[in-house]
Amino acid sequence: MRCSAVILLLLLTSAAFAQKLKTVEAEYTYYAPENVTLEHAKHIALERAMIQALADEFGTIVTQQNATRVENRNGQSDIGFLSIGGSEVKGEWIETLDEPIYNIRYEGNMLVVVCRVKGKAREIVSTGIDFQAHVLRNGTDNKFESDQFRSGDDLYLSFLSPVSGYLAVYLVDDTGQAYCLLPYRNQTDGVYPIEANRRYLFFNIKEAPQQERPYVDEYVMTCEQESEHNQIYVIFSPNQFVKASDNATDDRLPRELNNADFQRWLAKCRKRDEEMNLQMIPITIKK
């Protein structure tokens, strides 16, 4: 009887400390430069509307870094100061409710995109896991990190985590399809385990461990339009999770699902696992 009471108390305590989701909503107006396409402008407006909603609900953390520069010229010291300021929102977006609403107009020759978005979010109360993920173009060292690709370029990803856990990587393209880049197509357990303090390089057979080479997929970026804007999702958690249900439609492409299903899966995972970390990396591909 006492044991049952202790278990019940632990369950009630966990529920009390679980982060509650809040409904947030905001509108953002984006004035697009001439070189930004309509689809890219809509993406930027949506992203900034989300950030605005988080800032309105949870506030921001203002940071400032100071640097001192000392120069000696002809025996006289010249001291200069550099101040770099910035801010970070204190919340994280979990799920989008309904479709974002866009109002598109032109003021003179300038494209103006107004986006209103509504979703579920929660306050950030911990620092999270400081993993390092770098999208690489045509090279395997981190110095090849880039968000700009040309059709025919090779894509690699380096990853390093201070703790062990599990990793999934997806790419969402302009057409609304989500492609599972990791785990690899021929891995059937649905998870990719990560060891702490080990640098991983993905999508390169030559540098993969010998036992993993039969599974490794290598990716060459392609572009049917003049330019395409994709989003890479790097999802990591110290707790085991399984990738979304997907389908193999083409031997040349990763397994895929539509973006709406992917977002539902991601929201469900993040609701259940407060330790799950997400990094979104936008990339542009041009012909």
Side-chain angles (χ1 to χ4, degrees), residues 26 31 66 83 97 145 203 209 239 242 249 280:
Y31 295 86
N66 294 313
S83 177
L97 302 175
E145 183 174 23
F203 320 136
N239 308 307
V242 178
T249 58
M280 297 168 60

Side-chain angles (χ1 to χ4, degrees), residues 28-42 44-45 48 104-107 109-114:
Y28 187 89
T29 302
Y30 176 62
Y31 295 86
E34 291 183 359
N35 61 338
V36 174
T37 65
L38 174 59
E39 285 304 314
H40 194 199
K42 289 172 64 177
I44 293 173
R48 294 186 182 179
I104 300 167
R105 66 178 189 269
Y106 286 87
E107 293 184 2
N109 293 324
M110 177 172 286
L111 171 65
V112 181
V113 178
V114 181

Side-chain angles (χ1 to χ4, degrees), residues 137 148-153 221-229 284-287:
R137 170 179 173 261
Q148 301 293 320
F149 285 77
R150 289 282 183 183
S151 187
D153 285 343
M221 307 306 290
T222 59
C223 183
E224 295 182 0
Q225 309 298 325
E226 285 301 316
S227 65
E228 296 179 7
H229 303 280
T284 299
I285 309 165
K286 296 182 179 179
K287 281 191 174 181

Side-chain angles (χ1 to χ4, degrees), residues 24 49-50 53-54 91-96 117-121 270:
V24 296
M50 289 178 173
L54 295 174
E92 58 180 346
W93 195 272
I94 301 299
E95 181 181 13
T96 300
V117 66
K118 182 178 180 181
K120 293 286 187 178
R270 299 184 73 198

Side-chain angles (χ1 to χ4, degrees), residues 82-150:
L82 173 66
S83 177
I84 302 174
S87 63
E88 296 179 0
V89 293
K90 294 164 61 178
E92 58 180 346
W93 195 272
I94 301 299
E95 181 181 13
T96 300
L97 302 175
D98 305 323
E99 287 293 322
I101 299 173
Y102 294 97
N103 182 0
I104 300 167
R105 66 178 189 269
Y106 286 87
E107 293 184 2
N109 293 324
M110 177 172 286
L111 171 65
V112 181
V113 178
V114 181
C115 177
R116 173 163 286 276
V117 66
K118 182 178 180 181
K120 293 286 187 178
R122 65 179 171 221
E123 185 178 9
I124 296 176
V125 295
S126 63
T127 56
I129 300 171
D130 188 24
F131 65 75
Q132 299 176 29
H134 302 278
V135 173
L136 311 177
R137 170 179 173 261
N138 293 338
T140 58
D141 294 327
N142 286 353
K143 66 181 181 181
F144 292 100
E145 183 174 23
S146 179
D147 62 358
Q148 301 293 320
F149 285 77
R150 289 282 183 183

